[in-house]
Amino acid sequence: MMKSSSFTRATLSLSSILSLRPKPGRVAFCSAAKPKPQTPLYLRPPEFRATLSDLRKWHIWAKTEACNFSAVDGGAESSLLRRELRWLVEDAVEQPGLVWEEMNEEGGREVAMRACLEELYEMWKERIEERRPFQYVVGCEHWRDLILSVEEGVLIPRPETEVIVDLVDAAVKADEELRDGYWADLGTGSGALAIAVARVLGGGGGGGGRVAAVDLSPIAVAVASYNVERYNLQERICVRLGSWFDPLEDLRGELSGLVSNPPYIPSDDIDGLQAEVSRHEPRLALDGGPNGMDDLIHLCNGAASMLKPRAFFAFETNGEMQSKFLVDYMDTKMKGSFCRLNIISDFAGIQRFVTGYRSA
């Protein structure tokens, strides 16, 4: 699931963007106590019991709801909902393989569950009736080779963002000095990119690179910290609360790499996205301003002073128009700051990523 469809608003131009008042770093939220992340369903202890016959009744009801579902806004189709239903059972039941074998058998044998049947009813009603994303329902997302905790207030990591990890891996293999540097993941959300980049830096002989994961949202910082701890990367990743480059003053001019999947949806387009996104995912992580470019421009301006010479960066955009605009902006308005600029396509062939290096 992507943040939005490809960028289709009016053609971007440098004059139209630069005529807007520059957007300063947003004021950071303060939190007296870091929010406690929810435990994903599959990690809960199996404290409940249900008979196979009752579980079967619930499953028949849930499958009927999925088959009867119809979305007109590009949301999940019934075939996807049926797959999600299977995943929900596998997360909720302690021995899903055995349960699938015996599901159609009559009888009162009890099975161990991580949620009671009443909660499963509520979960599936939220998914169907409220269009709550499945990842929020079960509390996690499978991304690359990771299983990441997510909850409302944290952007769900998308498959296309995985490409950034491959781009970092290629850059590090081409220049091993990058492996030992300090990197930053701005707008980290669940911490997906930070964790994946840290693992790349630690490969190929165990490089000493570290990653600063930054987010403005206290909820995202708590969830990212939880995910970092689950993968035992506390020594490699520091999670910082704040707006973009503000928490990184101690690293000014020292970053070896920078990655970001920032907000890039035009403000007026958000309400028209599928309900799973527009109703539930954090607007803070979606809204890129009138043309979707506010945060991308801010990232370019900050990268010029934060990256050290020959440092690598990779930014995700909404598609071809934003990518080409960003390259034009760096070539003209920031002439001499960056080199080897490139536009990379995602899995669907959409020109989505802008990469380059800080000039020497």
Side-chain angles (χ1 to χ4, degrees):
M1 180 173 58
M2 296 166 61
K3 288 183 188 174
S4 74
S5 58
S6 58
F7 190 59
T8 56
R9 292 180 63 82
T11 302
L12 294 172
S13 67
L14 280 173
S15 59
S16 66
I17 294 293
L18 297 178
S19 64
L20 300 173
R21 184 176 181 178
K23 178 176 167 183
R26 303 180 201 177
V27 177
F29 293 120
C30 294
S31 177
K34 186 165 64 175
K36 183 178 180 180
Q38 300 173 9
T39 301
L41 177 60
Y42 83 101
L43 289 177
R44 296 187 200 174
E47 298 176 330
F48 303 92
R49 296 289 185 276
T51 64
L52 274 172
S53 58
D54 285 343
L55 181 61
R56 180 171 177 266
K57 291 176 184 177
W58 168 82
H59 187 260
I60 291 172
W61 165 82
K63 188 174 182 179
T64 301
E65 292 290 303
C67 291
N68 292 337
F69 179 81
S70 177
V72 296
D73 60 359
E77 297 179 352
S78 60
S79 58
L80 173 59
L81 290 172
R82 291 195 296 273
R83 289 199 299 273
E84 291 180 350
L85 176 58
R86 185 177 184 88
W87 297 334
L88 176 57
V89 172
E90 291 174 351
D91 279 3
V93 175
E94 186 179 27
Q95 295 179 302
L98 186 60
V99 166
W100 286 124
E101 291 177 6
E102 301 180 2
M103 179 76 80
N104 293 324
E105 297 180 7
E106 297 295 337
R109 187 177 81 81
E110 290 190 340
V111 294
M113 307 275 292
R114 297 186 177 89
C116 63
L117 282 179
E118 289 79 6
E119 185 178 2
L120 291 184
Y121 273 106
E122 290 303 315
M123 285 179 168
W124 200 242
K125 284 175 64 177
E126 289 177 356
R127 179 67 188 103
I128 300 294
E129 297 176 9
E130 300 178 20
R131 303 284 299 278
R132 191 175 183 217
F134 179 74
Q135 294 89 340
Y136 291 158
V137 171
V138 297
C140 70
E141 167 66 326
H142 293 249
W143 188 84
R144 209 170 169 90
D145 57 344
L146 304 171
I147 303 178
L148 299 165
S149 173
V150 292
E151 60 185 79
E152 298 215 24
V154 178
L155 186 75
I156 299 166
R158 268 56 172 184
E160 61 268 20
T161 306
E162 296 179 13
V163 173
I164 291 181
V165 184
D166 297 326
L167 297 173
V168 170
D169 186 49
V172 168
K173 287 177 178 176
D175 182 359
E176 287 291 331
E177 289 187 11
L178 296 176
R179 195 182 298 278
D180 293 319
Y182 219 122
W183 288 61
D185 171 25
L186 301 187
T188 195
S190 64
L193 277 176
I195 292 170
V197 168
R199 292 169 67 165
V200 167
L201 299 180
R210 300 192 66 201
V211 181
V214 177
D215 207 288
L216 180 62
S217 164
I219 297 175
V221 166
V223 170
S225 299
Y226 176 83
N227 286 323
V228 167
E229 290 171 8
R230 281 199 60 240
Y231 285 96
N232 196 29
L233 289 169
Q234 304 95 309
E235 300 300 317
R236 306 293 297 273
I237 301 172
C238 61
V239 185
R240 304 185 182 187
L241 174 67
S243 177
W244 300 122
F245 298 99
D246 290 352
L248 301 178
E249 283 300 316
D250 58 318
L251 299 174
R252 179 172 293 277
E254 298 298 325
L255 290 178
S256 294
L258 172 63
V259 296
S260 183
N261 175 23
Y264 52 59
I265 306 300
S267 303
D268 292 342
D269 287 2
I270 293 177
D271 290 339
L273 301 176
Q274 63 189 60
E276 283 84 352
V277 179
S278 62
R279 294 183 195 171
H280 296 279
E281 295 207 65
R283 193 178 185 102
L284 184 67
L286 299 171
D287 192 344
N291 288 287
M293 294 296 301
D294 285 8
D295 295 297
L296 284 163
I297 294 298
H298 187 70
L299 285 171
C300 288
N301 294 336
S305 62
M306 296 299 297
L307 294 175
K308 67 182 182 182
R310 294 182 292 278
F312 175 79
F313 69 86
F315 301 147
E316 181 171 329
T317 77
N318 201 21
E320 179 180 355
M321 296 179 71
Q322 287 191 356
S323 293
K324 289 183 175 179
F325 174 87
L326 213 58
V327 169
D328 186 36
Y329 178 84
M330 287 186 275
D331 270 340
T332 56
K333 297 298 178 180
M334 307 189 72
K335 189 174 181 64
S337 295
F338 303 104
C339 63
R340 298 159 62 187
L341 298 173
N342 199 11
I343 296 175
I344 308 294
S345 297
D346 63 15
F347 302 129
I350 298 172
Q351 295 182 332
R352 186 168 299 279
F353 308 98
V354 174
T355 67
Y357 292 81
R358 182 73 170 93
S359 297

